[in-house]
PDB file of all heavy atoms in Angstrom:
ATOM      1  N   GLU A 107     110.307 116.568  98.092  1.00 74.00           N
ATOM      2  CA  GLU A 107     109.398 116.206  97.028  1.00 74.00           C
ATOM      3  C   GLU A 107     108.067 116.934  97.250  1.00 74.00           C
ATOM      4  O   GLU A 107     107.710 117.241  98.381  1.00 74.00           O
ATOM      5  CB  GLU A 107     109.141 114.693  97.086  1.00 74.00           C
ATOM      6  CG  GLU A 107     110.375 113.824  96.846  1.00 74.00           C
ATOM      7  CD  GLU A 107     110.969 114.021  95.464  1.00 74.00           C
ATOM      8  OE1 GLU A 107     110.220 114.495  94.569  1.00 74.00           O
ATOM      9  OE2 GLU A 107     112.147 113.746  95.275  1.00 74.00           O
ATOM     10  N   GLN A 108     107.374 117.172  96.168  1.00 84.00           N
ATOM     11  CA  GLN A 108     106.080 117.840  96.233  1.00 84.00           C
ATOM     12  C   GLN A 108     105.210 117.291  95.160  1.00 84.00           C
ATOM     13  O   GLN A 108     105.657 117.114  94.006  1.00 84.00           O
ATOM     14  CB  GLN A 108     106.283 119.340  96.033  1.00 84.00           C
ATOM     15  CG  GLN A 108     104.997 120.145  96.056  1.00 84.00           C
ATOM     16  CD  GLN A 108     105.261 121.665  96.049  1.00 84.00           C
ATOM     17  OE1 GLN A 108     104.352 122.469  95.941  1.00 84.00           O
ATOM     18  NE2 GLN A 108     106.521 122.049  96.176  1.00 84.00           N
ATOM     19  N   TYR A 109     104.010 116.913  95.503  1.00 90.00           N
ATOM     20  CA  TYR A 109     103.122 116.290  94.559  1.00 90.00           C
ATOM     21  C   TYR A 109     101.871 117.123  94.359  1.00 90.00           C
ATOM     22  O   TYR A 109     101.247 117.578  95.312  1.00 90.00           O
ATOM     23  CB  TYR A 109     102.731 114.893  95.067  1.00 90.00           C
ATOM     24  CG  TYR A 109     103.935 114.007  95.326  1.00 90.00           C
ATOM     25  CD1 TYR A 109     104.509 113.921  96.589  1.00 90.00           C
ATOM     26  CD2 TYR A 109     104.581 113.339  94.256  1.00 90.00           C
ATOM     27  CE1 TYR A 109     105.623 113.145  96.810  1.00 90.00           C
ATOM     28  CE2 TYR A 109     105.683 112.574  94.484  1.00 90.00           C
ATOM     29  CZ  TYR A 109     106.218 112.493  95.752  1.00 90.00           C
ATOM     30  OH  TYR A 109     107.357 111.713  95.961  1.00 90.00           O
ATOM     31  N   PHE A 110     101.565 117.343  93.117  1.00 93.00           N
ATOM     32  CA  PHE A 110     100.433 118.243  92.753  1.00 93.00           C
ATOM     33  C   PHE A 110      99.171 117.459  92.496  1.00 93.00           C
ATOM     34  O   PHE A 110      99.180 116.360  91.961  1.00 93.00           O
ATOM     35  CB  PHE A 110     100.791 119.034  91.508  1.00 93.00           C
ATOM     36  CG  PHE A 110     101.735 120.168  91.773  1.00 93.00           C
ATOM     37  CD1 PHE A 110     103.098 119.981  91.769  1.00 93.00           C
ATOM     38  CD2 PHE A 110     101.243 121.454  92.062  1.00 93.00           C
ATOM     39  CE1 PHE A 110     103.959 121.008  92.031  1.00 93.00           C
ATOM     40  CE2 PHE A 110     102.111 122.509  92.338  1.00 93.00           C
ATOM     41  CZ  PHE A 110     103.467 122.284  92.324  1.00 93.00           C
ATOM     42  N   GLY A 111      98.076 118.073  92.904  1.00 95.00           N
ATOM     43  CA  GLY A 111      96.793 117.553  92.527  1.00 95.00           C
ATOM     44  C   GLY A 111      96.449 117.913  91.076  1.00 95.00           C
ATOM     45  O   GLY A 111      97.160 118.731  90.471  1.00 95.00           O
ATOM     46  N   PRO A 112      95.397 117.361  90.571  1.00 95.00           N
ATOM     47  CA  PRO A 112      95.014 117.610  89.157  1.00 95.00           C
ATOM     48  C   PRO A 112      94.357 118.932  88.922  1.00 95.00           C
ATOM     49  O   PRO A 112      94.112 119.326  87.778  1.00 95.00           O
ATOM     50  CB  PRO A 112      94.056 116.450  88.823  1.00 95.00           C
ATOM     51  CG  PRO A 112      93.443 116.109  90.153  1.00 95.00           C
ATOM     52  CD  PRO A 112      94.537 116.323  91.157  1.00 95.00           C
ATOM     53  N   GLY A 113      94.015 119.657  89.981  1.00 96.00           N
ATOM     54  CA  GLY A 113      93.414 120.949  89.834  1.00 96.00           C
ATOM     55  C   GLY A 113      91.874 120.915  89.864  1.00 96.00           C
ATOM     56  O   GLY A 113      91.245 119.885  89.570  1.00 96.00           O
ATOM     57  N   THR A 114      91.297 122.057  90.219  1.00 97.00           N
ATOM     58  CA  THR A 114      89.870 122.262  90.241  1.00 97.00           C
ATOM     59  C   THR A 114      89.546 123.525  89.461  1.00 97.00           C
ATOM     60  O   THR A 114      90.091 124.592  89.782  1.00 97.00           O
ATOM     61  CB  THR A 114      89.321 122.401  91.671  1.00 97.00           C
ATOM     62  OG1 THR A 114      89.561 121.203  92.390  1.00 97.00           O
ATOM     63  CG2 THR A 114      87.834 122.734  91.666  1.00 97.00           C
ATOM     64  N   ARG A 115      88.698 123.411  88.459  1.00 96.00           N
ATOM     65  CA  ARG A 115      88.317 124.556  87.682  1.00 96.00           C
ATOM     66  C   ARG A 115      87.025 125.122  88.239  1.00 96.00           C
ATOM     67  O   ARG A 115      85.995 124.466  88.151  1.00 96.00           O
ATOM     68  CB  ARG A 115      88.164 124.176  86.189  1.00 96.00           C
ATOM     69  CG  ARG A 115      88.143 125.426  85.296  1.00 96.00           C
ATOM     70  CD  ARG A 115      88.376 125.069  83.833  1.00 96.00           C
ATOM     71  NE  ARG A 115      89.639 124.422  83.593  1.00 96.00           N
ATOM     72  CZ  ARG A 115      90.791 125.041  83.504  1.00 96.00           C
ATOM     73  NH1 ARG A 115      90.852 126.386  83.682  1.00 96.00           N
ATOM     74  NH2 ARG A 115      91.912 124.379  83.244  1.00 96.00           N
ATOM     75  N   LEU A 116      87.104 126.319  88.766  1.00 97.00           N
ATOM     76  CA  LEU A 116      85.950 126.971  89.362  1.00 97.00           C
ATOM     77  C   LEU A 116      85.410 128.049  88.429  1.00 97.00           C
ATOM     78  O   LEU A 116      86.190 128.922  87.969  1.00 97.00           O
ATOM     79  CB  LEU A 116      86.306 127.617  90.709  1.00 97.00           C
ATOM     80  CG  LEU A 116      85.268 128.562  91.317  1.00 97.00           C
ATOM     81  CD1 LEU A 116      83.997 127.774  91.665  1.00 97.00           C
ATOM     82  CD2 LEU A 116      85.813 129.234  92.557  1.00 97.00           C
ATOM     83  N   THR A 117      84.136 127.982  88.151  1.00 97.00           N
ATOM     84  CA  THR A 117      83.472 129.006  87.341  1.00 97.00           C
ATOM     85  C   THR A 117      82.346 129.595  88.163  1.00 97.00           C
ATOM     86  O   THR A 117      81.477 128.844  88.621  1.00 97.00           O
ATOM     87  CB  THR A 117      82.929 128.426  86.023  1.00 97.00           C
ATOM     88  OG1 THR A 117      83.992 127.808  85.285  1.00 97.00           O
ATOM     89  CG2 THR A 117      82.310 129.553  85.180  1.00 97.00           C
ATOM     90  N   VAL A 118      82.379 130.872  88.369  1.00 97.00           N
ATOM     91  CA  VAL A 118      81.327 131.544  89.113  1.00 97.00           C
ATOM     92  C   VAL A 118      80.478 132.369  88.150  1.00 97.00           C
ATOM     93  O   VAL A 118      81.025 133.231  87.433  1.00 97.00           O
ATOM     94  CB  VAL A 118      81.922 132.446  90.197  1.00 97.00           C
ATOM     95  CG1 VAL A 118      80.805 133.066  91.065  1.00 97.00           C
ATOM     96  CG2 VAL A 118      82.893 131.681  91.094  1.00 97.00           C
TER      97      VAL A 118
END
Side-chain angles (χ1 to χ4, degrees):
Chain A
E107 298 295 339
Q108 178 172 172
Y109 303 96
F110 283 87
T114 296
R115 195 164 300 281
L116 170 63
T117 303
V118 184

